[in-house]
């Protein structure tokens, strides 16, 4: 039997009654925009993230967009970020009129190198966006320290519920940054049944600004202090997410369990570099991503065996056609470029059975003749 990279139907089957009941409540109430499901979810996510405030919005992309606006990033400004991430991290920088400044990653964690971010700061730098790639929190305390007051927007789209021990205290994804952003895209660890996103912060002024930005820059209906967006979190999505949230801790633990099984099973394969998790971190493994020299050959082998896999991400953002005008060329971020050629993500979702895990292991080992 083929093993998919992600099986959302397996998850849905286990929680169907709860989720459908929550959705039907919204349908019966005919209250689709904001309201109790959204404020409930905001309270739950703020509690999970150890933050005072949370603001739901239409997507993880919009969470970045609204956050950039909330810290006053606009035309002519620079925002420092990593090129080894999903497109939205930099696309939103462009869409607020600013310039994305790409700095390279740590090859072990795939996360931004704080020292390189610090070295790229200029008088135009208005924000830094580290990404918690694949479910592992970036060196957020280092980025914050070196940012010296420049706002830090933590793209935590892949890391909701992940944590990092800083000075002996567990800090949650999104907790330490100026603003943390989450995505509820269906394939994220906490996925909705459609698009959704959220921003968390400890700062009341930023909270007020984010609330205003998501409703056309208006606090009092039909009076607009600034031009914002229509970027509300749908009540149906919030109801689904409220029903799913109680399972998140268990699901993340399952992903870690599966990662540990792979780590052990691939330990003797010299060509396979298993994911490195910083000892300070507890990853939620949004992806289980190995590095291998003959990546495309392994990819073809897994495809032939029916084993789901994907390359996140095949082309770093500094080399994307749409950013050609920024002037980056091959070699500008060598570790990101090398990672793009070597990474391969394997199925790690919580509902994988032991037999499925064994199939993935056998297929990978088989490629190396083991
Ligand atoms: C998924 C993702 C986003 C965008 O989230 P959407 O909800 O799809 O808009 C942004 N950044 C990263 C790192 C992501 O993985």
């Amino acid at each position: 039997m083929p093993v998919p990279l992600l099986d959302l139907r397996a998850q849905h089957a286990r929680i169907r009654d709860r989720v459908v009941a929550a959705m039907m409540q919204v349908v019966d109430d005919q209250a689709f925009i904001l309201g109790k499901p959204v404020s409930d979810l905001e309270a739950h996510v703020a509690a999970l993230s150890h933050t005072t405030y949370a603001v739901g919005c239409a997507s993880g992309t919009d969470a970045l967009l609204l956050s950039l606006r909330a810290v006053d990033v606009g035309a002519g400004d620079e925002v420092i970020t990593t090129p080894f991430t999903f497109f939205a991290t930099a696309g939103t920088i462009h869409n607020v009129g600013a310039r994305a400044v790409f700095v390279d990653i740590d090859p072990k964690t795939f996360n931004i190198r704080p020292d390189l971010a610090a070295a790229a700061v200029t008088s135009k730098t208005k924000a830094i966006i580290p990404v918690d790639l694949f479910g592992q929190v970036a060196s957020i305390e280092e980025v914050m320290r070196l940012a010296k007051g420049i706002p830090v927007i933590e793209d935590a789209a892949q890391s909701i519920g992940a944590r990092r021990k800083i000075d002996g205290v567990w800090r949650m994804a999104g907790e330490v940054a100026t603003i943390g952003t989450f995505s509820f895209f269906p394939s994220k660890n906490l996925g909705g049944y459609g698009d959704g996103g959220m921003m968390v912060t400890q700062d009341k002024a930023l909270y007020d600004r984010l609330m205003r930005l998501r409703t056309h820059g208006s606090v009092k209906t039909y009076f607009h202090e600034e031009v914002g967006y229509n970027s509300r979190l749908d009540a149906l999505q919030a109801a689904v997410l409220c029903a799913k949230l109680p399972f998140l801790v268990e699901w993340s633990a399952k992903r870690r369990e599966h990662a540990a099984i792979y780590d052990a099973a691939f330990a003797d394969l010299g060509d396979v570099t298993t994911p490195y998790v910083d000892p300070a971190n507890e990853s939620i493994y949004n992806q289980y991503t190995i590095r291998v020299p003959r990546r495309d050959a392994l990819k073809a082998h897994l495809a032939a065996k029916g084993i789901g896999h994907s390359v996140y991400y095949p082309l770093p953002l500094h080399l994307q056609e749409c950013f050609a005008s920024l002037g980056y060329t091959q070699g500008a971020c060598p570790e990101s470029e090398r990672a793009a050629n070597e990474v391969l993500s394997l199925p790690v979702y919580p509902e994988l059975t032991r037999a499925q895990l064994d199939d993935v292991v056998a297929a990978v080992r088989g490629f190396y003749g083991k």
Side-chain angles (χ1 to χ4, degrees):
M1 283 289 280
V3 182
L5 180 63
L6 178 64
D7 185 354
L8 291 173
R9 276 180 296 190
Q11 183 166 84
H12 175 67
R14 287 184 54 214
I15 56 174
R16 187 179 187 283
D17 291 353
R18 284 169 185 258
V19 173
V20 170
M23 291 177 86
M24 285 316 292
Q25 186 66 56
V26 175
V27 172
D28 288 341
D29 290 347
Q30 291 289 295
F32 298 109
I33 305 298
L34 299 177
K36 190 169 170 357
V38 172
S39 54
D40 281 355
L41 183 71
E42 288 169 341
H44 293 317
V45 172
L48 170 73
S49 309
H50 300 170
T51 61
T52 324
Y53 306 104
V55 179
C57 65
S59 68
T61 302
D62 274 10
L64 289 164
L65 186 69
L66 271 60
S67 297
L68 286 164
R69 285 285 310 275
V71 299
D72 289 318
V73 176
D77 295 335
E78 293 177 358
V79 177
I80 297 167
T81 193
T82 157
F84 195 60
T85 175
F86 177 62
F87 180 74
T89 313
T92 49
I93 297 170
H94 175 87
N95 281 341
V96 296
R99 179 186 177 88
V101 174
F102 294 110
V103 301
D104 213 356
I105 54 167
D106 175 327
K108 286 164 85 180
T109 62
F110 300 116
N111 284 332
I112 197 167
R113 263 181 57 186
D115 57 331
L116 296 181
V121 171
T122 72
S123 58
K124 292 180 178 171
T125 307
K126 287 289 179 59
I128 302 175
I129 309 184
V131 177
D132 301 340
L133 206 72
F134 302 148
Q136 159 162 233
V137 177
S139 302
I140 192 73
E141 73 288 358
E142 260 311 270
V143 174
M144 292 294 284
R145 190 175 68 78
L146 296 170
K148 298 198 175 95
I150 296 168
V152 174
I153 299 167
E154 179 180 353
D155 184 344
Q158 302 182 6
S159 66
I160 189 166
R163 49 186 198 162
R164 176 171 175 83
K165 213 172 223 176
I166 301 170
D167 296 329
V169 183
W170 283 111
R171 302 290 186 185
M172 304 303 294
E175 173 180 356
V176 173
T178 312
I179 304 175
T181 65
F182 298 120
S183 164
F184 304 123
F185 185 79
S187 68
K188 302 296 159 87
N189 286 39
L190 181 63
Y193 286 15
D195 279 309
M198 195 163 282
M199 302 151 286
V200 291
T201 183
Q202 314 283 10
D203 185 312
K204 172 74 162 67
L206 286 176
Y207 167 73
D208 290 341
R209 186 91 188 268
L210 292 168
M211 289 290 274
R212 191 168 82 181
L213 282 166
R214 81 170 172 187
T215 51
H216 291 299
S218 141
V219 176
K220 191 172 162 215
T221 309
Y222 305 129
F223 294 85
H224 302 266
E225 291 135 69
E226 66 178 323
V227 178
Y229 305 87
N230 174 2
S231 184
R232 295 167 297 227
L233 175 61
D234 197 289
L236 272 170
Q237 296 308 326
V240 169
L241 292 161
C242 282
K244 289 184 74 174
L245 187 60
F247 298 95
L248 182 63
V249 168
E250 175 197 323
W251 287 335
S252 297
K254 272 283 171 201
R255 286 171 179 266
R256 279 192 294 276
E257 223 176 88
H258 298 163
I261 288 170
Y262 288 148
D263 285 350
F266 303 149
D268 65 325
L269 302 178
D271 270 0
V272 176
T273 306
T274 53
Y276 171 83
V277 178
D278 183 321
N281 275 338
E282 186 178 73
S283 176
I284 59 160
Y285 286 100
N286 178 245
Q287 300 296 341
Y288 181 90
T289 304
I290 59 172
R291 298 183 74 128
V292 288
R294 292 159 50 223
R295 195 263 315 276
D296 292 340
L298 175 58
K299 217 168 114 48
H301 173 81
L302 294 181
K305 299 271 176 205
I307 304 297
H309 58 272
S310 193
V311 174
Y312 303 111
Y313 297 90
L315 185 65
L317 301 188
H318 67 290
L319 299 178
Q320 296 285 345
E321 190 179 340
C322 66
F323 291 136
S325 65
L326 296 177
Y328 291 95
T329 50
Q330 195 82 30
C333 295
E335 291 299 348
S336 300
E337 294 160 25
R338 195 162 66 87
N341 290 326
E342 295 182 358
V343 290
L344 191 62
S345 297
L346 301 175
V348 73
Y349 62 89
E351 296 77 19
L352 279 170
T353 63
R354 184 67 217 211
Q356 289 176 310
L357 287 160
D358 290 343
D359 286 350
V360 176
V361 167
V364 172
R365 290 185 65 80
F367 178 72
Y368 296 101
K370 304 250 183 174

